[in-house]
Amino acid sequence: MNPVEALAPFVVPAVLAMMVGVGSATLATIVWVHVAIRLLHLGVYLRGGNAAKGGSVRTIVYVSGAIVTLVLVPVTGWAAIN
């Protein structure tokens, strides 16, 4: 369920970004950074051990993905205003 939980908060602003005309290179960069972070999170999770049980590495990676989402929101807003 973890990938699904992180997907919805990212997909909504990403779709809105496409609708308001965020530059394709900007949006692609943000999306690929988010995908890379989620894959890293998956790797940590699948590796197991303390890190997979909520250790600091997994938390840092998860929060990094959330920060990327938080970057996408003002980028989308800026494109909508301009």
Side-chain angles (χ1 to χ4, degrees):
M1 287 302 295
N2 200 337
V4 176
E5 293 169 353
L7 184 63
F10 184 75
V11 168
V12 172
V15 170
L16 289 173
M18 287 185 268
M19 292 173 65
V20 300
V22 171
S24 59
T26 303
L27 184 56
T29 301
I30 293 171
V31 168
W32 280 111
V33 167
H34 188 265
V35 168
I37 289 171
R38 292 305 302 167
L39 289 173
L40 183 60
H41 184 267
L42 176 67
V44 170
Y45 187 77
L46 291 177
R47 183 171 175 246
N50 288 334
K53 295 177 183 171
S56 61
V57 173
R58 182 174 163 212
T59 301
I60 290 168
V61 174
Y62 185 84
V63 170
S64 298
I67 290 171
V68 171
T69 301
L70 292 176
V71 166
L72 179 58
V73 171
V75 167
T76 301
W78 183 258
I81 291 170
N82 291 325

